[in-house]
Amino acid sequence: MEGAEGSKRAAAVARLIQLRDAEQLSAAHVRLAAEGLGVSERTVWRWLAAPTHVPEHRGPEPYVLSETDREAYALYRGNVAAVHRARQAVVDGDGTTAGAPVPDFLREGWAGAAPVALRTMQVAFNRELTPAERAAWKVGESGRRAKSVYLRRPEPATIAAALAPWAGAALAGVLGGYGGLFLALSGSSLAAALLVTRATPREKAGSTGV
């Protein structure tokens, strides 16, 4: 009986506190609560004045993968369902999955482990492994590379840009002089390129006339 009365009192006080926090509490509310609980209004006011403790609601702690979970993930090539079946078989004491015994190192690692739902394991693997890691265990190195982000390699510099006069002059400064030599080499290279360009049409024309 006391348990029922205590629950009734707790519900009434909680409702009054809600009204107070919303700045809607009045003496009429307290009077009605006192009449319903069979106590005086002063008692109800005292209950409201007492510090209240609202327990913080905390959800279950997320499951953290063990080293054995990760080893099984590698063994079963990223198949979380297969990992869960093998783990559950060890927890149940069966020790076999899909007609085959679970490897000894997995049975030793999962010995005494608590049951875990398949969905919980899936969430844990998605949370703790990167997409590249998951792809690597499923399809190999090519999968890891496909899921990884790489910087694009810059295009190599052309020979013409490397032999530009300003580049030659800058290099000469680093090597301690001979700027004129670099400029002369750059000029001769440019002249040779122009001669080749001009000679090519004539050679083609001569070959067609034969």
Side-chain angles (χ1 to χ4, degrees):
M1 189 67 177
E2 292 181 358
E5 290 295 331
S7 300
K8 185 177 179 181
R9 166 188 164 179
V13 172
R15 176 56 181 160
L16 293 174
I17 290 175
Q18 291 178 350
L19 293 172
R20 182 184 64 189
D21 294 342
E23 298 182 353
Q24 298 177 355
L25 181 64
S26 65
H29 292 125
V30 175
R31 184 168 56 253
L32 289 174
E35 293 176 356
L37 295 173
V39 297
S40 64
E41 296 181 29
R42 184 176 180 180
T43 299
V44 176
W45 283 114
R46 188 172 68 251
W47 289 344
L48 292 175
T52 57
H53 172 70
V54 179
E56 181 183 358
H57 177 71
R58 301 180 62 181
E61 294 293 331
Y63 178 74
V64 178
L65 296 176
S66 66
E67 189 64 27
T68 307
D69 294 334
R70 295 173 179 271
E71 292 174 349
Y73 189 81
L75 176 65
Y76 294 110
R77 299 191 61 83
N79 188 336
V80 181
V83 174
H84 179 263
R85 286 194 299 269
R87 189 182 190 279
Q88 192 61 41
V90 174
V91 172
D92 293 341
D94 181 12
T96 59
T97 176
V102 177
D104 291 340
F105 71 96
L106 294 182
R107 288 194 284 111
E108 294 174 359
W110 284 328
V116 177
L118 172 59
R119 179 57 183 165
T120 300
M121 294 201 76
Q122 291 172 335
V123 171
F125 277 109
N126 288 334
R127 182 183 64 250
E128 298 187 30
L129 299 184
T130 65
E133 289 174 325
R134 296 196 299 271
W137 289 121
K138 290 179 180 179
V139 296
E141 179 64 14
S142 60
R144 185 190 68 81
R145 290 181 176 273
K147 292 294 184 179
S148 298
V149 178
Y150 293 93
L151 295 177
R152 186 177 179 181
R153 180 178 296 177
E155 295 295 333
T158 61
I159 298 177
L163 293 178
W166 54 86
L171 184 59
V174 175
L175 297 178
Y178 304 101
L181 177 60
F182 278 98
L183 291 175
L185 290 174
S186 302
S188 62
S189 298
L190 180 60
L194 291 175
L195 290 175
V196 171
T197 303
R198 292 182 178 182
T200 301
R202 289 198 297 270
E203 293 176 358
K204 289 183 177 181
S207 61
T208 54
V210 174

